[in-house]
């Protein structure tokens, strides 16, 4: 996984919400978003006598039509939920029907025709009838903006319990998700190898497409010739992925010919299948920590719309997309390593580059359509091509005669009526190779990938709320709380509190004094031996920076990447290390190290200085020194500066090194 990312709300072409005007809706005599008939709200404007769906067994009776109220709230609901799936809009209509039935019941007491007619009395009616908070909140999302637009006050109604309220669910652990990550990683690497092997076969094969075009009949058996000829057929027909029907018609092949028996290895040796794209998307979600809607909203028509270099680190890149939630649009970012083939940016670049022939065909078709006479069918196809060109998630659909398509919110989960349908077969395949006690829970869903990412960043940072906020891309700590309000994190907090109290009273009992550094080490490690405490206090097992070390033989890889197992830490960049324990008497070595860093900066080329981690160490050391008396810190800093100037102290210019192993 990559490092936690940060986001900023920025101006973008997506900032303005596309609102459908009421007059336009009336002129079209229907109430739904353009191109999305499943968002219709006709039933609430015209009334509904029956469910219209034989599968519905719990129809609770008709509802009265309220055209003005529907028109007033509809475009605000569309603005908030325009990216919801078909099933999501079914739930929205269910919520509105619950509201409408209560309004119908009390029509004689407090009639409602528009948002101006709504009062706190109606909120009391909804509360009395037991309408859930979910239904009321959704209704008010349409009502309150409409009332504000008319200069009316916002409504704040009492709420019942949320429908289906459950105890906070457990976030899947990193150990449970790791097998999924490795399986996806294996699949994506297999996909890349499949493309490479198909390219190699086609390169060394003979293209017989021109012979077939002249009416000649050639008996092909070599797999390399088949790959080369299929690509030749694509060039002749000017369609990048001819279907099996088109290939048979072009070659005159029989049903039992090699062209038919091995056909699917040809288009999918060129382009991804729907499952290939889902595998890449799921791996991307694990790498980036995004939700599915944000990843599907990536716009790859131009590289500058989704990719940029990291502003500080030359070896990193930033992938960004627009996260839409309600009426807000914010930029979500993910940081990746240029060297990693599976980093977020490189995953997107790989799949975009591979589908470039599909995009070239779509651009050519779009150019033709733009010059053609505009009809409803042509306009719909133009909109569809724009959607496809925006998406990085293009694939070839064998079920639709090799049609070019792209993942959407409706199809990226494979089966939208099953939340984890795309994951369940993958998990089942993983579990076939694992023992009964190590099986991955089949209840894990795609939505939880984001929770796992945030939990990973949160735990790896030593449970820093700041890092958690940055990893989640949230604007405040308050927004993060619902992600961390899970059983495992509550249990973690309880355990840490218990460790703190137990360690505190143990120090009081045994030493009659509480040393903050030792207390911290006990809470983090669970236990610190009396022998270790005595050695620290006797200035033994200390580092050059004057700190104690909780795990001297296992420094973090990012600080000591060449560490030799079983040896002590040679680097000792302690203010950057999670294992450091700072004592009251650590002040002097820390001031010495800070002055050494100042001297190092003055003697190094600035380009070398800023390309190293020394600036981070300087900042971290200064931050640690704020824990001490500022006057004493100033005195000791000046002392060490004088020592270096006089030549009595020679700063270490290089880190310790590990000897090479033979």
């Amino acid at each position: 996984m990559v490092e936690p990312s940060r986001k900023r709300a920025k101006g973008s072409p997506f900032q303005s919400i596309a609102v459908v005007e009421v007059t336009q809706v009336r002129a079209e005599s229907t109430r739904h978003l353009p191109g999305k008939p499943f968002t219709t709200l006709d039933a609430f404007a015209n009334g509904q006598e029956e469910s219209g769906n034989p599968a519905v067994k719990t129809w609770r009776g008709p509802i009265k039509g309220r055209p003005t109220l529907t028109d007033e709230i509809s475009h605000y609901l569309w603005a908030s939920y325009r990216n919801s799936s078909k099933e999501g809009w079914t739930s929205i209509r269910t919520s509105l029907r619950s509201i409408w039935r209560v309004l119908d019941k009390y029509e004689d007491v407090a009639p409602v025709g528009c948002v101006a007619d709504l009062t706190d009395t109606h909120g009391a009616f909804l509360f009395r009838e037991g309408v859930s908070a979910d239904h009321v909140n959704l209704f008010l999302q349409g009502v309150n903006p409409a009332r504000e637009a008319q200069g009316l006050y916002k409504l704040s109604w009492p709420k019942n319990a949320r429908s289906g309220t459950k105890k906070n669910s457990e976030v899947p652990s990193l150990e449970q998700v790791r097998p999924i990550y490795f399986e996806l990683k294996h699949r994506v690497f297999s996909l890349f190898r499949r493309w490479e092997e198909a390219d190699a076969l086609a390169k060394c094969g003979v293209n017989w497409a021109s012979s077939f075009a002249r009416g000649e009949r050639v008996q092909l058996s070599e797999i390399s010739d088949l790959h080369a000829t299929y690509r030749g057929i694509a060039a002749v027909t000017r369609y990048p992925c001819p279907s099996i029907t088109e290939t048979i018609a072009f070659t005159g092949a029989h049903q039992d010919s090699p062209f038919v028996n091995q056909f699917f290895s040809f288009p999918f040796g060129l382009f991804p299948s729907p499952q290939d794209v889902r595998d890449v998307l799921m791996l991307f979600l694990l790498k980036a920590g995004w939700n599915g809607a944000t990843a599907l909203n990536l716009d790859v028509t131009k590289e500058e719309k989704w990719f940029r270099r990291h502003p500080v680190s030359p070896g990193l890149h930033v992938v960004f997309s627009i996260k839409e939630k309600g009426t807000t649009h914010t930029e979500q970012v993910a940081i990746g390593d240029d060297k990693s083939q599976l980093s977020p940016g490189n995953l997107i670049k790989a799949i975009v580059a591979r589908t470039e022939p599909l995009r070239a065909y779509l651009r050519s078709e779009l150019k033709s359509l733009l010059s053609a006479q505009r009809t409803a069918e042509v306009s719909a196809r133009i909109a569809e091509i724009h959607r496809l060109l925006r998406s990085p998630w293009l694939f070839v659909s064998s079920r639709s005669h090799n049609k070019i398509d792209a993942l959407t919110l409706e199809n990226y989960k494979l089966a939208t009526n099953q939340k984890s349908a795309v994951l369940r077969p993958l998990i089942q395949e993983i579990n076939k190779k694992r023992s009964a006690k190590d099986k991955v829970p089949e209840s894990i869903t795609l939505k939880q990938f984001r929770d796992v990412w945030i939990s990973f960043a949160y735990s790896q940072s030593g449970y820093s709320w700041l890092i958690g906020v940055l990893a989640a891309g949230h604007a405040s700590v308050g927004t993060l709380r619902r992600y961390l309000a899970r059983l495992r994190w509550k249990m973690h907090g309880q355990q840490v509190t218990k460790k703190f109290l137990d360690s505190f009273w143990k120090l009081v009992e045994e030493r009659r004094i509480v040393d903050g550094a030792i207390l911290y080490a006990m809470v983090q490690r669970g236990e610190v031996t009396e022998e270790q405490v005595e050695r620290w206090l006797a200035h033994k097992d200390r580092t050059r920076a004057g700190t104690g070390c909780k795990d001297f033989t296992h420094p973090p890889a990012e600080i000591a990447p060449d560490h030799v197992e079983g040896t002590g830490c040679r680097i000792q960049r302690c203010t950057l290390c999670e294992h450091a324990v700072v004592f009251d008497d650590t002040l002097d070595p820390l001031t010495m190290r800070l002055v050494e860093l100042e001297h190092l900066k003055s003697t190094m080329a600035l380009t070398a200085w800023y390309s190293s981690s020394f600036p981070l160490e300087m900042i971290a050391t200064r931050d640690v020194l704020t824990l001490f008396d500022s006057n004493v810190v100033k005195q000791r800093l000046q002392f060490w500066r004088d020592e270096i100037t006089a030549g009595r102290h020679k700063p270490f210019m290089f880190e310790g090194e590990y000897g090479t192993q033979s």
Side-chain angles (χ1 to χ4, degrees):
M1 296 185 179
V2 297
E3 68 183 52
S5 60
R6 63 184 181 89
K7 76 166 186 181
R8 291 179 181 173
K10 294 187 176 181
S12 76
F14 303 99
Q15 289 283 17
S16 57
I17 299 172
V19 176
V20 179
E21 296 295 336
V22 173
T23 54
Q24 178 186 347
V25 175
R26 288 174 176 164
E28 295 176 355
S29 70
T30 186
R31 293 168 173 83
H32 63 73
L33 282 176
K36 294 186 177 182
F38 58 80
T39 64
T40 179
L41 298 177
D42 281 342
F44 305 99
N46 305 326
Q48 188 176 6
E49 292 297 324
E50 54 188 24
S51 70
N53 184 357
V56 175
K57 306 297 183 183
T58 57
W59 178 248
R60 293 169 52 197
I63 59 174
K64 176 184 175 181
R66 302 175 189 275
T68 304
L69 178 62
T70 303
D71 288 342
E72 287 175 328
I73 70 173
S74 59
H75 60 282
Y76 293 107
L77 293 177
W78 289 330
S80 296
Y81 298 102
R82 64 186 181 281
N83 288 324
S84 293
S85 64
K86 186 175 181 180
E87 285 67 30
W89 275 94
T90 299
S91 298
I92 290 169
R93 285 190 288 274
T94 298
S95 297
L96 292 178
R97 273 193 291 270
S98 298
I99 302 292
W100 251 243
R101 289 193 175 101
V102 174
L103 297 181
D104 291 349
K105 181 176 181 178
Y106 293 96
E107 183 70 15
D108 295 337
V109 179
V112 175
C114 60
V115 294
D117 295 334
L118 292 166
T119 66
D120 290 340
T121 301
H122 298 96
F125 290 153
L126 294 171
F127 186 79
R128 178 193 297 176
E129 295 297 324
V131 178
S132 79
D134 292 332
H135 298 336
V136 174
N137 287 338
L138 183 139
F139 182 55
L140 291 180
Q141 275 190 273
V143 168
N144 279 332
R147 286 176 62 88
E148 284 187 296
Q150 298 177 24
L152 303 172
Y153 65 89
K154 292 175 65 175
L155 297 172
S156 181
W157 289 344
K159 310 288 195 319
N160 288 295
R162 300 177 69 88
S163 61
T165 300
K166 298 179 181 179
K167 184 169 62 174
N168 283 326
S169 60
E170 179 68 83
V171 176
S173 68
L174 197 60
E175 290 70 27
Q176 292 172 330
V177 175
R178 187 176 282 113
I180 298 176
Y181 169 76
F182 283 118
E183 176 64 23
L184 289 172
K185 181 178 176 180
H186 170 73
R187 289 188 178 193
V188 172
F189 275 134
S190 296
L191 171 64
F192 293 163
R193 283 196 299 272
R194 187 180 82 205
W195 288 340
E196 290 172 1
E197 290 167 2
D199 290 347
L201 286 169
K203 188 175 182 180
C204 66
V206 179
N207 174 15
W208 294 96
S210 57
S211 298
F212 285 117
R214 291 193 298 268
E216 300 174 14
R217 291 294 173 259
V218 182
Q219 296 297 323
L220 301 181
S221 58
E222 292 292 331
I223 187 67
S224 58
D225 291 351
L226 292 170
H227 274 280
T229 302
Y230 177 81
R231 298 181 185 209
I233 295 171
V236 172
T237 60
R238 296 184 179 180
Y239 187 69
C241 47
S243 67
I244 188 169
T245 304
E246 294 166 329
T247 304
I248 290 174
F250 190 91
T251 62
H254 297 291
Q255 292 295 326
D256 59 348
S257 69
F259 240 129
V260 176
N261 292 334
Q262 304 182 56
F263 176 78
F264 290 107
S265 66
F266 309 140
F268 299 124
L270 272 169
F271 307 114
S273 69
Q275 187 57 52
D276 293 332
V277 177
R278 289 188 185 99
D279 290 340
V280 176
L281 173 61
M282 287 189 286
L283 184 60
F284 177 87
L285 295 180
L286 277 174
K287 288 279 188 175
W290 291 2
N291 58 35
T294 304
L296 291 169
N297 205 32
L298 275 164
D299 181 358
V300 296
T301 50
K302 294 181 180 179
E303 187 172 287
E304 57 265 27
K305 289 188 175 184
W306 69 273
F307 182 90
R308 58 176 171 250
R309 303 306 314 167
H310 194 281
V312 176
S313 302
L316 302 181
H317 59 258
V318 179
V319 178
F320 57 94
S321 179
I322 300 300
K323 181 179 180 181
E324 300 178 351
K325 185 172 183 180
T327 58
T328 61
H329 301 72
T330 53
E331 188 180 84
Q332 189 84 0
V333 302
I335 300 174
D337 188 345
D338 292 343
K339 296 179 181 179
S340 171
Q341 194 175 4
L342 300 182
S343 63
N346 287 341
L347 279 174
I348 300 297
K349 282 189 173 183
I351 199 167
V352 169
R354 196 69 197 187
T355 55
E356 176 54 32
L358 305 181
R359 298 175 190 280
Y361 175 82
L362 291 171
R363 286 192 291 267
S364 176
E365 183 184 356
L366 178 62
K367 184 178 180 180
S368 299
L369 290 174
L370 290 174
S371 60
Q373 184 177 358
R374 194 66 61 92
T375 64
E377 185 178 348
V378 170
S379 297
R381 180 56 183 168
I382 288 174
E384 174 68 1
I385 292 176
H386 279 302
R387 179 186 74 82
L388 295 175
L389 290 174
R390 274 175 52 92
S391 175
W393 314 109
L394 282 188
F395 59 82
V396 173
S397 176
S398 59
R399 294 185 179 181
S400 303
H401 302 286
N402 283 15
K403 174 186 174 183
I404 302 172
D405 204 350
L407 294 184
T408 65
L409 277 171
E410 284 70 50
N411 68 19
Y412 89 103
K413 292 183 181 178
L414 190 62
T416 52
N417 60 335
Q418 300 181 41
K419 293 181 179 179
S420 59
V422 70
L423 273 180
R424 188 173 293 118
L426 184 146
I427 294 174
Q428 289 171 346
E429 183 176 335
I430 293 171
N431 285 339
K432 289 178 183 177
K433 312 168 191 174
R434 301 174 70 84
S435 63
K437 66 177 182 178
D438 293 328
K439 290 190 181 300
V440 178
E442 292 187 18
S443 58
I444 295 176
T445 66
L446 281 176
K447 185 178 180 180
Q448 291 177 318
F449 278 10
R450 177 163 165 78
D451 293 342
V452 171
W453 160 248
I454 296 171
S455 298
F456 166 78
Y458 179 59
S459 60
Q460 289 295 106
S461 67
Y463 309 101
S464 165
W465 282 73
L466 175 60
I467 297 300
V469 169
L470 295 177
H474 287 156
S476 67
V477 169
T479 316
L480 179 69
R481 285 175 182 160
R482 74 183 184 89
Y483 280 94
L484 300 181
R486 301 290 200 273
L487 296 181
R488 189 154 62 92
W489 295 123
K490 285 187 175 180
M491 188 178 300
H492 166 76
Q494 293 167 358
Q495 290 172 345
V496 170
T497 302
K498 184 177 184 299
K499 283 182 183 179
F500 174 81
L501 293 174
D502 290 346
S503 302
F504 180 89
W505 291 114
K506 184 176 181 179
L507 286 174
V508 170
E509 180 181 348
E510 294 179 354
R511 307 187 64 82
R512 302 297 178 184
I513 188 171
V514 177
D515 187 299
I518 297 174
L519 179 61
Y520 174 81
M522 292 176 71
V523 171
Q524 292 297 309
R525 292 176 60 175
E527 184 64 39
V528 176
T529 64
E530 184 66 23
E531 179 185 2
Q532 180 65 80
V533 172
E534 294 298 338
R535 291 183 65 84
W536 279 343
L537 295 179
H539 296 275
K540 297 178 180 178
D541 294 345
R542 296 284 192 101
T543 67
R544 183 172 180 273
T547 65
C549 185
K550 293 182 290 181
D551 200 345
F552 189 62
T553 58
H554 296 92
E558 61 271 18
I559 293 178
D562 300 320
H563 176 71
V564 177
E565 189 66 27
T567 63
C569 176
R570 299 283 193 274
I571 307 302
Q572 297 193 19
R573 309 280 293 283
C574 299
T575 53
L576 295 177
C577 182
E578 62 195 47
H579 298 323
V581 180
V582 178
F583 297 91
D584 290 341
D585 55 11
T586 308
L587 181 148
D588 199 52
L590 284 179
T591 54
M592 179 188 70
R593 180 56 182 165
L594 181 57
V595 172
E596 288 181 347
L597 289 169
E598 292 174 349
H599 179 78
L600 191 60
K601 182 180 180 181
S602 67
T603 57
M604 285 179 66
L606 285 179
T607 52
W609 169 263
Y610 284 111
S611 64
S612 71
S613 60
F614 290 129
L616 292 177
E617 185 182 2
M618 179 178 282
I619 293 171
T621 306
R622 284 174 177 162
D623 287 344
V624 174
L625 286 173
T626 60
L627 301 174
F628 299 92
D629 186 290
S630 60
N631 292 326
V632 178
V633 171
K634 290 178 182 178
Q635 292 173 6
R636 299 312 298 169
L637 287 174
Q638 189 57 50
F639 170 80
W640 287 111
R641 288 173 186 138
D642 293 341
E643 291 292 292
I644 291 176
T645 302
R648 290 187 292 270
H649 177 70
K650 299 293 184 183
F652 284 140
M653 301 300 291
F654 301 99
E655 299 172 342
E657 295 183 355
Y658 293 91
T660 55
Q661 299 291 301
S662 58

